[in-house]
Amino acid sequence: ARIPYFAYVSVLHLYESLGWWRATELRKVHAAEDYNELHHLLILEALGGNARWSDRFLGYHVAFLYYWAVVATYVFSPKIAYNFMELLEAHAVDTYSTFVKTNRAQLAKFPPPKVARSYYTGADLYMFDDFQQKPPGSRRPPCDSLLDVFTNIAEDEGEHVKTMRAAQAYCDSGRAIVSPHLEAARQVPIVSIAEAEKRAKWKEWAAEVNDDENAAFF
């Protein structure tokens, strides 16, 4: 699931390098989405999901082809690429939700992998907040059991669906999709009281320097 986000970032990097188009906030959001899906992968690997050589072999080679297919689609039509990912993430929501519902009692008995606890409850949750279409800090899920882990993953996939819908709206209306941290920053004064005091002192000093220069000239 992380391959499309990595593909989006790659194409956006290419456009920026060639000087065609720059969308730093969009690229930042997709990078956070990739980071989220990376941790889903690490969690499943910690649970033994990559134990079989055949699974790893198939995964590596399919991922290579999948990456270039998404790159080509994104170059041709970003909206189609986003719509595809919305459908894929919606399917993931259904899959994980069904798994949680069916195995709730068993999942509640087992502790979470260390990587899951670190990702969902660690000190630095900036990237966790950055892929979601909600204010930073508004979602802090528990991570005390495997039930919490898979519930969190299902909710993550739901947040990806919302972000992909916002990305498609961006394609239609041109309304930029931005990091929720930037959106939150727009709601507060940019210049703090301390910065305002510094600016006032700087203006006062500049006025004194200009007065001294004018007096010396005359």
Side-chain angles (χ1 to χ4, degrees):
R2 62 183 296 235
I3 292 296
Y5 302 123
F6 181 58
Y8 302 160
V9 171
S10 299
V11 175
L12 292 173
H13 264 296
L14 175 63
Y15 290 164
E16 186 172 329
S17 299
L18 295 175
W20 292 353
W21 187 50
R22 177 173 292 173
T24 53
E25 282 299 314
L26 181 62
R27 179 158 51 82
K28 181 183 177 186
V29 170
H30 289 331
E33 291 184 290
D34 169 68
Y35 191 72
N36 174 259
E37 293 291 359
L38 167 63
H39 280 80
H40 293 178
L41 174 65
L42 294 176
I43 289 168
L44 295 177
E45 287 182 347
L47 295 173
N50 65 336
R52 295 171 58 181
W53 177 88
S54 58
D55 290 340
R56 297 196 304 274
F57 179 85
L58 181 63
Y60 293 152
H61 290 79
V62 169
F64 178 80
L65 299 175
Y66 185 26
Y67 169 80
W68 286 110
V70 176
V71 165
T73 304
Y74 194 69
V75 169
F76 174 72
S77 173
K79 184 177 180 180
I80 291 177
Y82 289 143
N83 181 254
F84 165 76
M85 200 57 191
E86 178 194 346
L87 297 174
L88 186 67
E89 296 291 17
H91 176 69
V93 173
D94 293 338
T95 301
Y96 282 114
S97 298
T98 300
F99 178 75
V100 168
K101 183 178 180 180
T102 304
N103 300 280
R104 178 174 294 273
Q106 288 298 318
L107 292 172
K109 297 178 182 178
F110 297 98
K114 184 182 295 184
V115 64
R117 191 185 296 274
S118 174
Y119 180 66
Y120 288 111
T121 64
D124 183 4
L125 296 176
Y126 186 94
M127 293 289 282
F128 176 70
D129 288 331
D130 221 32
F131 80 94
Q132 305 181 61
Q133 295 296 297
K134 57 179 57 181
S138 61
R139 181 176 169 230
R140 290 293 180 264
C143 191
D144 299 320
S145 67
L146 276 185
L147 176 60
D148 290 336
V149 171
F150 283 101
T151 299
N152 294 344
I153 292 176
E155 292 176 356
D156 288 350
E157 305 297 7
E159 291 300 323
H160 285 297
V161 171
K162 297 175 186 176
T163 303
M164 290 297 95
R165 288 174 180 166
Q168 291 173 74
Y170 180 23
C171 295
D172 289 333
S173 65
R175 185 181 183 278
I177 175 173
V178 300
S179 160
H181 290 94
L182 178 61
E183 195 68 37
R186 290 172 174 170
Q187 308 302 319
V188 299
I190 297 177
V191 180
S192 65
I193 295 176
E195 289 296 324
E197 291 177 350
K198 291 178 182 179
R199 185 175 293 275
K201 290 180 179 179
W202 181 87
K203 288 182 177 179
E204 182 181 345
W205 172 80
E208 292 177 357
V209 170
N210 289 333
D211 289 342
D212 291 342
E213 289 181 351
N214 291 334
F217 179 77
F218 290 108

